[in-house]
Amino acid sequence: MKKILITGGAGFIGSHVVREFVNKYPEYHIVNLDALTYAGNLENLKDIENKPNYTFVKADITDAAHILAVFQEHQPDGVIHLAAESHVDRSITNPTAFVMTNVIGTVNLLNAAKEIWKDNFEGKRFHHVSTDEVYGTLGESGLFREDTAYDPHSPYSASKASSDHFVRAYHDTYGLPIVLTNCSNNYGPNHFPEKLIPLCIHNILNNKSLPIYGDGKFTRDWLFVIDHAKAIDLVFHNGKNGDSYNVGGFNEWQNIDLVKELCKQVDEKLGRPQGTAAALITFVKDRPGHDLRYAIDATKINQELGYQPSVTFEQGLSVTIDWFLNNQEWLDNVTSGDYQKYYEGQYVGNS
Ligand code: NAD
Ligand code: DAU
């Protein structure tokens, strides 16, 4: 049986990747390694937690000795690495945490894989899940391609760029079999409400203001999370050893237009007069070093691996809003406790 170790599998994207693999590949055994930080939540995996081909291991990737012990015990043939500190605003407040998890944690995983595979890399693969933010910012035109030069601006993107370089360095130096994916902004069920879309849905439901940074004209390229999971599956199995693949939806939105569209759909679903949610929109102080525009050229993954997103943005957003409306207990659970402190630090008095 093939053993795949997925890191960060209790987080937003990781939980969808774990579900995709557990359900689609009953012949594999999936080990989900996660430290269960504020962003990790086993509630995200309730539907698959008792499947015979699934195991959860609580471990912190910054703990090299523990990580090596987990690898020695479980002997994975493949690693799909998603564990990370993932929120740009938190990286501005506490950059060191991002170096620890995203850089040191990634190197610890590379060392553990190299050690247990004993330099016999036949049938092995380390898949590093990364972001389009490593490329920096675009102006009004152009797209990020796989050969676009790295130019990260936030502590988050600097830490992810560094981790990408380490993954390639282990390939070039030791021959470790690797693939990378650099994806644009994800949205969907289980998205933690610190990020723009779930934060706005949560605030609409609680009649709180919708904070738009700066003039709201910053642009992101949005992809439904399950389509990201499907891209990871394709690249993990069929991507070329040593290569990177950009993943995106050719779906650019300025933040202000996206939030207005979200408000319109929520009002419709709640049967309220149009304009009710949009009245909560408030422009607030900009994010320092805010990248103007991200947009992915996904031609390579499309042409080489036949990748196509499975849903339109309209469908994906509708499914996402429905999920949050039907899972308010999940939202209440993740926004109790520390979330309140984070929210006050980030938003109260920020206008
Ligand atoms: P998330 O913050 O929702 O989840 C991160 C997960 O990693 C959590 O389960 C958390 O408990 C775990 N984790 C954090 N630190 C850990 C540590 N030290 N040891 C073990 N586990 C730890 O993140 P996400 O949005 O699901 O992103 C997952 C990955 O995808 C990240 O690597 C991120 O950089 C990348 N990515 C995210 C997006 C996006 O739009 N969210 C887009 C492209 C790439
Ligand atoms: O591009 C991929 C990246 O997308 C991932 O690598 C990151 O892990 C993920 O967090 C995401 O980063 P962003 O910074 O683009 O996502 P966020 O949801 O934080 O912000 C989206 C846009 O909305 C961005 O231009 C900032 C703006 N924004 C965000 C928040 C939280 C606001 O205007 N108001 C807000 O309150």
Side-chain angles (χ1 to χ4, degrees), residues 276-329:
T276 310
L280 296 169
I281 291 175
T282 310
F283 290 92
V284 301
K285 201 166 75 199
D286 203 359
R287 171 186 280 175
H290 198 169
D291 286 332
L292 176 68
R293 176 171 165 260
Y294 304 146
I296 283 279
D297 182 345
T299 306
K300 178 176 175 181
I301 189 169
N302 171 263
Q303 290 190 347
E304 284 189 16
L305 305 179
Y307 174 73
Q308 284 279 351
S310 66
V311 295
T312 63
F313 186 59
E314 204 182 24
Q315 290 164 333
L317 195 60
S318 173
V319 168
T320 302
I321 297 168
D322 287 344
W323 187 87
F324 279 97
L325 293 178
N326 293 326
N327 288 275
Q328 294 198 31
E329 207 182 311

Side-chain angles (χ1 to χ4, degrees), residues 7-15 33-41 59-62 81-87 100-102 128-132 156 160 181-187 190-192 194-195 222 228:
T7 73
F12 165 48
I13 302 170
S15 59
L33 183 161
D34 198 297
L36 300 181
T37 68
Y38 79 93
N41 186 351
D60 187 328
I61 60 170
T62 65
H81 173 35
L82 295 109
E85 288 291 340
S86 69
H87 191 41
M100 293 309 294
T101 288
N102 298 359
H128 181 57
V129 177
S130 193
T131 170
D132 59 0
Y156 164 69
K160 291 296 291 188
T181 39
N182 294 81
C183 188
S184 62
N185 287 62
N186 286 211
Y187 68 96
N190 306 101
H191 205 179
F192 194 82
E194 63 190 350
K195 311 278 166 56
W222 294 92
H228 187 188

Side-chain angles (χ1 to χ4, degrees), residues 13 84-89 130-134 144 156-157 160 183-186 191-200 203 210-214 216-222 255-256 258-259 282 284-287 290-292 294 342-343 346-347 350:
I13 302 170
E85 288 291 340
S86 69
H87 191 41
V88 173
D89 292 324
S130 193
T131 170
D132 59 0
E133 299 201 13
V134 298
F144 293 135
Y156 164 69
S157 53
K160 291 296 291 188
C183 188
S184 62
N185 287 62
N186 286 211
H191 205 179
F192 194 82
E194 63 190 350
K195 311 278 166 56
L196 180 68
I197 289 180
L199 182 127
C200 286
N203 285 11
L210 310 180
I212 308 294
Y213 295 160
K217 298 213 166 123
F218 298 85
T219 299
R220 297 292 182 265
D221 175 359
W222 294 92
N255 294 336
I256 186 65
L258 171 67
V259 171
T282 310
V284 301
K285 201 166 75 199
D286 203 359
R287 171 186 280 175
H290 198 169
D291 286 332
L292 176 68
Y294 304 146
Y342 164 76
Y343 194 87
Q346 182 65 25
Y347 295 102
N350 172 14

Side-chain angles (χ1 to χ4, degrees), residues 157-218:
S157 53
S159 69
K160 291 296 291 188
S162 173
S163 66
D164 290 14
H165 290 318
F166 271 104
V167 172
R168 291 198 186 94
Y170 272 61
H171 177 69
D172 294 344
T173 309
Y174 309 112
L176 194 82
I178 58 129
V179 278
L180 285 93
T181 39
N182 294 81
C183 188
S184 62
N185 287 62
N186 286 211
Y187 68 96
N190 306 101
H191 205 179
F192 194 82
E194 63 190 350
K195 311 278 166 56
L196 180 68
I197 289 180
L199 182 127
C200 286
I201 297 174
H202 178 244
N203 285 11
I204 293 170
L205 297 177
N206 289 280
N207 203 31
K208 286 165 79 171
S209 64
L210 310 180
I212 308 294
Y213 295 160
D215 62 5
K217 298 213 166 123
F218 298 85

